[in-house]
Amino acid sequence: MRLLPSMNCHSQKLMVLTGAGLSTESGIPDYRSPSGAYSSGFKPITHQEFVRSSRARRRYWARSYAGWRRFIAAQPSAGHIALFSLEKVGRVNFMITQNVDRLHHRAGSNPLELHGTVYTVVCLNCGANLSRNSFQDKVKALNPKWASAIEHLEHGSPGSDKSFGMQQRPDGDIEIDEKFWEVDFTIPNCHQCGGMLKPDVVFFGDNVPKDRADLAMEAAKSCDAFLVLGSSLMTMSAFRLVRAAYEAKADIAIVNIGETRADDFTRLKINARVGEILPRVVEMGCLHIPCIG
């Protein structure tokens, strides 16, 4: 992949940042698009809510447990695959993703996961971690009737007591009548210390771990071109990286549907789906950033 800035040279240190707009093309819902979770009134749990409220934790884990099977059924999109193709031929120097779904990994990539991943569960007390599949097994052992409920989710009557009031929403989320999880849902504790378990994800209201944030910032400041794919850059953890790259004189390009926080200083903005554009970039071998002025 070739980025052509005003000095008409090849990018040697291309940094790529991917966001939820890439995952939506695989069927995983987002928050901020017109059809995203925010538009239907859904608000994600915050770190503070998760830590202080056992009720909030039961709600989170019940919904997450119920939706896990559909979540892991998602497949990498054309955008994921095209990006890996660019990596294989050495066109990408450093890649970061805001996504927690590991679809990049399934396509062959190994990006820095800025906001962590739901595929790992961590103890907030001792730091021990376990795989999400192991956690799912523990939940099933503690809540055996839920296994049957999940099976009835797709085959039974939506909203019935047999399916615990669960209803599959069009965007893939799971709605569960609170009477079924408020009392009867048991959350596993840490197997080492009995502490509170949380997905290894940076929730809203939490901070990206310092070592991870520092690594990302170092890459942003040293790149000569920065490509944003499927992100509105509304979270500061992502926007600050693009701004740092811009201040370091890197060329900025964005492929995203809708406005982004960096539109004012981006030299190339393509308002389209990543899966429509990136395969063409692979085919052509270059992405031109126009000269301005």
Side-chain angles (χ1 to χ4, degrees):
M1 180 175 177
R2 185 176 55 186
L3 292 180
L4 298 180
S6 58
M7 70 282 294
N8 196 32
C9 65
H10 293 262
S11 168
Q12 299 299 317
K13 291 186 176 181
L14 171 65
M15 181 169 174
V16 176
L17 170 72
T18 70
L22 193 55
S23 292
T24 57
E25 296 178 24
S26 294
I28 294 179
D30 66 345
Y31 290 117
R32 292 185 170 87
S33 71
S35 60
Y38 283 159
S39 65
S40 63
F42 175 76
K43 293 294 185 292
I45 191 170
T46 67
H47 178 80
Q48 292 77 14
E49 287 176 307
F50 187 92
V51 170
R52 72 171 179 249
S53 170
S54 60
R55 186 177 187 275
R57 288 194 296 277
R58 284 196 300 274
R59 180 181 185 274
Y60 173 83
W61 279 123
R63 292 171 63 102
S64 185
Y65 175 83
W68 183 245
R69 184 171 62 179
R70 174 166 290 194
F71 186 87
I72 62 175
Q75 297 296 314
S77 68
H80 291 103
I81 295 169
L83 189 53
F84 176 58
S85 296
L86 293 172
E87 284 187 287
K88 283 198 299 184
V89 295
R91 301 301 190 185
V92 178
N93 183 62
F94 196 88
M95 182 163 66
I96 295 177
T97 185
Q98 296 174 261
N99 301 331
V100 299
D101 49 46
R102 295 232 158 140
L103 286 173
H104 280 300
H105 296 74
R106 296 176 68 179
S109 300
N110 187 28
L112 175 67
E113 295 172 303
L114 190 64
H115 296 153
T117 176
V118 291
Y119 276 80
T120 302
V121 178
V122 65
C123 175
L124 295 181
N125 183 50
C126 72
N129 60 69
L130 71 158
S131 72
R132 178 59 186 268
N133 286 333
S134 294
F135 180 83
Q136 292 287 115
D137 290 341
K138 290 178 180 294
V139 171
K140 181 178 180 180
L142 290 173
N143 305 275
K145 58 186 178 180
W146 276 71
S148 176
I150 297 301
E151 291 174 2
H152 286 105
L153 178 61
E154 296 180 357
H155 304 292
S157 301
S160 68
D161 282 4
K162 194 173 184 180
S163 62
F164 286 69
M166 300 179 190
Q167 297 187 60
Q168 191 76 61
R169 296 171 60 190
D171 62 3
D173 194 7
I174 301 292
E175 284 288 357
I176 308 176
D177 190 316
E178 67 179 48
K179 69 181 180 180
F180 297 108
W181 56 258
E182 190 168 22
V183 176
D184 295 335
F185 186 78
T186 302
I187 304 172
N189 292 321
C190 175
H191 63 285
Q192 290 192 10
C193 73
M196 183 188 303
L197 294 176
K198 172 184 174 291
D200 194 12
V201 169
V202 178
F203 280 167
F204 286 81
D206 198 5
N207 296 315
V208 174
K210 187 177 185 304
D211 58 345
R212 196 184 306 164
D214 288 347
L215 180 59
M217 181 57 70
E218 180 181 353
K221 289 181 176 179
S222 62
C223 74
D224 59 11
F226 197 115
L227 178 60
V228 178
L229 300 173
S231 175
S232 61
L233 302 173
M234 292 303 172
T235 61
M236 181 55 71
S237 57
F239 174 69
R240 64 195 294 265
L241 298 176
V242 183
R243 185 175 60 189
Y246 171 75
E247 292 173 351
K249 308 303 181 184
D251 290 301
I252 312 296
I254 298 176
V255 179
N256 186 66
I257 295 178
E259 296 181 356
T260 82
R261 202 171 180 179
D263 285 354
D264 289 345
F265 56 80
T266 297
R267 295 180 59 188
L268 176 63
K269 168 70 180 298
I270 301 176
N271 193 54
R273 292 162 57 96
V274 177
E276 295 172 352
I277 301 300
L278 217 54
R280 299 182 190 179
V281 173
V282 173
E283 182 179 351
M284 295 188 307
C286 65
L287 176 64
H288 295 276
I289 295 184
C291 301
I292 300 177

